[in-house]
Amino acid sequence: MARRSAPSAPVALIAAPDPKPGGTPKPAAPLGGLALGIDVGGTGVKAALVDLATAELASARVRERTPQPATPEAVTETIARVVGRIAMEHPLPEHLPVGCGLPGVVKGGALMTAANIDPFWVGWPAEERIGAALGRRVRIFNDADAAGLAELAYGAAAGQAGTTVMLTIGTGIGSAVFLDGRLVPNTEYGHLEFHGRDAETLVSGAARERRKLGWKRWTREFNEYVALIEKTMWPDLLIYGGGVSKEWGKWGKWARSRAPIVLARYLNTSGIIGAAWAAADAERRETSGRTGPAASGR
Ligand code: BGC
């Protein structure tokens, strides 16, 4: 699979990922058929049907603005409308896997944190209520974990041995960590303490705009934040995704890290593709009786 490499070489003290920390991961057996992916972000609620054999969208990508305030009930109504619009064009089979990415820690079918979404989400039974609104089983995932799973299944993290850290840089900073191809869910590196603050309040894309930082100045701070991550866990590969990674041409030349950097393969659609894949993967694990879903963080 073609990998989009960072155009300018970052400083790499270790040039290549160690090929055998735990052996090269076997790629998960490919999934086929369709699944529905939903991605709830700070500004938009997006959904599409995904062809799991190819990661291509099998329907239009339908988007509506995230209601403000983004209360659980209001967002759930929006999700139902977005999915209803897809259903007008494509029949949605009864047992279609449905995954939904949400911007917070996911445990037991609910959000445990809500940094960039209404606080009423914390503890609200999201999986159950969104499922009830759609009249079908829904599985929820952390949004960055979902985006990372799209890269694991089809993109920049596929077949990657060792420790991979993906950062989604946008309104907040999300993280997905893989060890030998297996997700360690809910890592939340956007909330590391950085200069005495919550990191994402200083170096997310939204923070760059709010602080009116030019790209060079912001990249210098972002590099420092990445160095903090590298100091504590020595990743073998860094993947940058989210809205700010689309602007790589404006800041890539200053990006520095110990591990090699690659850009995410999927940008606008990673949350949708990953949520769809994760739901189908969880269902496969449950029906084959294997213990513990790999991705859902339960
Ligand atoms: C949340 C994460 C989320 C990230 C990106 C952070 O504020 O805590 O769970 O992945 O924003 O949306």
Side-chain angles (χ1 to χ4, degrees), residues 102-105 113 115-116 142-144 168 172-175 188 191 200:
L102 292 167
V105 168
T113 63
N116 287 309
N142 169 262
D143 58 353
T168 61
I173 295 182
S175 56
E188 295 290 317
H191 300 296
E200 72 175 14

Side-chain angles (χ1 to χ4, degrees), residues 83-138:
V83 173
R85 280 171 59 192
I86 296 173
M88 286 192 307
E89 306 285 325
H90 299 269
L92 303 180
E94 196 187 332
H95 295 295
L96 184 74
V98 181
C100 177
L102 292 167
V105 168
V106 172
K107 290 274 182 192
L111 287 192
M112 298 286 115
T113 63
N116 287 309
I117 196 166
D118 192 278
F120 281 114
W121 278 89
V122 176
W124 190 74
E127 206 162 69
E128 185 191 313
R129 300 287 174 80
I130 299 171
L134 298 186
R136 54 181 71 237
R137 169 93 195 256
V138 171

Side-chain angles (χ1 to χ4, degrees), residues 43 184 194 256 260 272:
T43 55
V184 180
F194 182 60
R256 296 289 181 272
I272 293 174

Side-chain angles (χ1 to χ4, degrees), residues 192-204:
L192 291 180
E193 187 179 320
F194 182 60
H195 293 304
R197 300 265 303 272
D198 201 33
E200 72 175 14
T201 66
L202 291 178
V203 288
S204 70

